[in-house]
Amino acid sequence: YRTKEAIEGVEVFIADKDVFYYWTVKAPLFDEDGNVSGLIGMSTDITEQKKLEQQLENSNALLKSKIDEITLLQSTLWEQATQDPLTQLFNRRYFNEIANKEIIKTARNKKPMALLLLDADYFKKINDNFGHAMGDKVLVKFAQIMMDECRRTDIVCRYGGEEFVILMPEASQDIAVGRAEEIRENYQKEITKILNNISTVSIGIAMWNNNLVDLEGLTKAADQAMYQAKNNGRNQVVVYSEESNN
């Protein structure tokens, strides 16, 4: 009324427990001198429309909540499917999946890639002499040592039991051997401290080349190198050589 202009908007009326909505347009009436002489208005009941809008908003909010729950569940299930619960490292399933992709990428880019296979020496004796709880503690510490010594691009996985693998994309043999030696030395230092008894690890390294054909060939090569380290007296790093395995 004071603005002398037409206005429009939603009006809300509450009667007992019911709420009513109206779309209302109000405009001033003017006399011959241009003064406001009255007011004219028109209201349309939009209560049902408002209720439907509110229901839609509630439904959308519920749907978003369900989608968020499903997304979180999928993430949790993925972690459970690809993560080792004890060490929190990736598991063998994830390793097989990611390693095949990295082999394709490595072959395409013609860049080096190393695979390390690590096995704690005489681990059964650790379980037998110190108990499985201590054995688990050793594996968790072993995982931490590997993560501390690896690059962010390296993929560390628990392969099974006391065996672990580290996939090192774009790593030369020198880099792979250097990392392996650091892990070997730190393992002996840290695990010996935990057990108050000398403990060591053997590590086999295989560098990718087309002669290995696929992931199975690469893993087999690293495994052969690791067992060569075991046969040589353990507590050492051995690099796979096709000449020495022919």
Side-chain angles (χ1 to χ4, degrees):
Y1 183 81
R2 286 192 293 269
T3 64
K4 297 184 179 181
E5 295 179 355
I7 58 172
E8 59 184 36
V10 177
E11 291 185 323
V12 181
F13 295 95
I14 301 175
D16 295 328
K17 295 182 180 180
D18 294 325
V19 180
F20 300 92
Y21 298 89
Y22 294 88
W23 180 258
T24 300
V25 179
K26 295 179 180 179
L29 296 175
F30 301 94
D31 59 21
E32 293 178 354
D33 297 325
N35 297 316
V36 176
S37 60
L39 194 66
I40 185 173
M42 181 178 68
S43 295
T44 304
D45 187 347
I46 59 169
T47 302
E48 286 302 316
Q49 178 183 334
K50 278 292 182 181
K51 287 181 178 180
L52 289 174
E53 288 176 358
Q54 188 61 51
Q55 289 175 2
L56 181 59
E57 288 179 10
N58 293 340
S59 296
N60 286 339
L62 180 60
L63 178 60
K64 183 181 183 303
S65 175
K66 292 297 182 184
I67 290 173
D68 290 343
E69 287 180 15
I70 292 171
T71 301
L72 179 60
L73 179 60
Q74 286 177 330
S75 176
T76 302
L77 290 174
W78 184 86
E79 288 181 0
Q80 291 175 347
T82 60
Q83 193 177 62
D84 173 52
L86 176 64
T87 63
Q88 304 303 304
L89 297 177
F90 289 117
N91 60 20
R92 186 169 185 164
R93 173 179 176 176
Y94 179 81
F95 166 73
N96 289 336
E97 179 181 325
I98 197 69
N100 280 310
K101 293 178 181 178
E102 288 297 334
I103 285 175
I104 293 171
K105 190 188 301 182
T106 297
R108 182 174 64 243
N109 297 337
K110 292 182 170 52
K111 291 187 177 180
M113 182 173 70
L115 176 64
L116 280 61
L117 182 59
L118 310 91
D119 186 89
D121 295 328
Y122 300 115
F123 187 75
K124 185 178 183 300
K125 288 185 177 180
I126 294 176
N127 281 330
D128 291 344
N129 296 335
F130 299 95
H132 287 277
M134 181 60 75
D136 287 348
K137 186 176 180 180
V138 167
L139 293 177
V140 170
K141 185 62 179 178
F142 190 9
Q144 181 186 331
I145 291 169
M146 287 184 285
M147 291 300 295
D148 289 345
E149 294 300 331
C150 284
R151 308 168 303 170
R152 287 191 349 182
T153 53
D154 296 334
I155 301 149
V156 186
C157 306
R158 186 179 181 187
Y159 201 61
E162 69 275 15
E163 280 192 342
F164 296 82
V165 289
I166 304 175
L167 192 66
M168 293 186 169
E170 298 188 24
S172 66
Q173 181 170 309
D174 287 343
I175 290 175
V177 170
R179 301 281 177 175
E181 287 291 357
E182 288 290 334
I183 292 170
R184 184 188 63 79
E185 291 173 8
N186 284 332
Y187 179 94
Q188 182 172 354
K189 175 184 173 183
E190 297 297 331
I191 304 304
T192 297
K193 190 186 303 180
I194 291 174
L195 299 176
N196 197 27
N197 191 66
I198 294 177
S199 186
T200 61
V201 62
S202 298
I203 305 173
I205 300 176
M207 300 300 300
W208 169 255
N209 67 73
N210 292 333
N211 292 335
L212 298 177
V213 181
D214 54 19
L215 177 58
E216 182 180 358
L218 177 64
T219 306
K220 184 178 179 181
D223 188 60
Q224 289 178 358
M226 188 269 291
Y227 274 102
Q228 186 64 50
K230 297 275 189 185
N231 293 334
N232 290 350
R234 294 179 169 79
N235 189 29
Q236 56 189 279
V237 176
V238 171
V239 179
Y240 173 80
S241 169
E242 292 184 357
E243 289 77 13
S244 62
N245 286 275
N246 285 335

